Amino acid sequence: AQSVTQLGSHVSVSEGALVLLRCNYSSSVPPYLFWYVQYPNQGLQLLLKYTTGATLVKGINGFEAEFKKSETSFHLTKPSAHMSDAAEYFCAVTGGGADGLTFGKGTHLIIQP
Amino acid sequence: EAQVTQNPRYLITVTGKKLTVTCSQNMNHEYMSWYRQDPGLGLRQIYYSMNVEVTDKGDVPEGYKVSRKEKRNFPLILESPSPNQTSLYFCASSKRTNEKLFFGSGTQLSVL
């Protein structure tokens, strides 16, 4: 069984500022971790994923995330926010079992001009 | 183009009137899944399927049925819809459960 906690249902940053979206997970087996983004009126798109190997994962649109096993975290960052980053972001975890991904409740990212 | 196609995009119905939301993928994926998205609750899994004729319940299966008669199709059936099933529904597929999920565009269902 696995679970995901995303801290902060809404995060607001200024354009050009650092984006940090927090995700903590629980998994009884080595986890596979994902971040997905949902733009208004669209489905979800994969930003990045961690499977094994390098703990710092780079994704699309300048986002990256670091897998920290000791902290059971997989926080998402971007050095400089852009207006186009405004969206809903979901962290997800799976142990690779048949039940697939468990999603967090999402974080709505607001970019202020 | 690799895609997951859901239909319809929007649906308004009344309590008790059976409906089906279709889902089809063109990537030969073994794994398919249905989620519902509600404000403040994120995505919750309704049913999933590992392959043809293999389906299982997710976290919120009550009031829903699915079938997987062909690899590409995974319809979601609401035999007797109720207002608490008003939600945004997503179908998704992947080659394996630890790989990228491809999502459909969603179906916004309103049950009056």
Side-chain angles (χ1 to χ4, degrees):
Chain A
Q2 58 258 354
S3 65
V4 174
T5 301
Q6 291 185 239
L7 294 175
S9 59
H10 290 78
V11 170
S12 179
V13 302
S14 299
E15 190 173 17
L18 171 72
V19 174
L20 170 61
L21 303 183
R22 299 178 188 273
C23 172
N24 288 90
Y25 71 90
S26 171
S27 178
S28 56
V29 297
Y32 299 88
L33 294 156
F34 301 77
W35 276 99
Y36 283 84
V37 60
Q38 183 182 31
Y39 298 104
N41 300 314
Q42 294 186 26
L44 280 73
Q45 305 170 32
L46 180 67
L47 266 182
L48 50 81
K49 68 175 182 179
Y50 168 80
T51 53
T52 58
T55 56
L56 182 62
V57 181
K58 294 188 185 300
I60 61 171
N61 300 338
F63 284 93
E64 62 183 35
E66 186 171 10
F67 170 60
K68 292 187 176 180
K69 184 178 178 181
S70 61
E71 299 177 9
T72 61
S73 69
F74 192 56
H75 302 330
L76 182 70
T77 60
K78 181 175 181 178
S80 177
H82 192 272
M83 295 299 292
S84 61
D85 295 326
E88 190 86 15
Y89 291 80
F90 293 94
C91 182
V93 64
T94 180
D99 54 350
L101 283 179
T102 297
F103 285 85
K105 294 183 178 181
T107 297
H108 185 60
L109 178 61
I110 301 162
I111 310 296
Q112 299 197 359
Chain B
E1 179 189 354
Q3 61 183 0
V4 177
T5 304
Q6 281 180 243
N7 280 297
R9 188 74 192 271
Y10 300 94
L11 180 57
I12 301 174
T13 190
V14 295
T15 299
K17 186 176 182 182
K18 180 179 179 180
L19 67 91
T20 299
V21 184
T22 63
C23 174
S24 180
Q25 49 94 4
N26 64 358
M27 295 166 279
N28 200 37
H29 284 164
E30 282 78 25
Y31 182 81
M32 297 188 75
S33 184
W34 276 102
Y35 293 88
R36 61 177 287 173
Q37 182 179 11
D38 302 287
L41 297 178
L43 278 83
R44 295 179 292 167
Q45 189 179 55
I46 303 170
Y47 269 93
Y48 59 92
S49 170
M50 291 295 286
N51 215 322
V52 175
E53 302 292 1
V54 181
T55 64
D56 210 343
K57 297 177 181 179
D59 297 319
V60 288
E62 294 78 21
Y64 305 95
K65 285 176 57 178
V66 292
S67 68
R68 189 93 181 269
K69 293 184 171 59
E70 305 165 285
K71 198 172 189 178
R72 63 183 292 123
N73 296 323
F74 190 44
L76 179 68
I77 303 153
L78 284 71
E79 295 264 357
S80 183
S82 62
N84 65 10
Q85 293 178 298
T86 292
S87 187
L88 178 58
Y89 292 86
F90 287 102
C91 180
S93 74
S94 64
K95 190 162 181 63
R96 282 180 284 274
T97 58
N98 60 357
E99 296 189 9
K100 173 184 176 181
L101 263 180
F102 290 78
F103 282 83
S105 298
T107 296
Q108 181 64 60
L109 172 64
S110 294
V111 183
L112 306 178

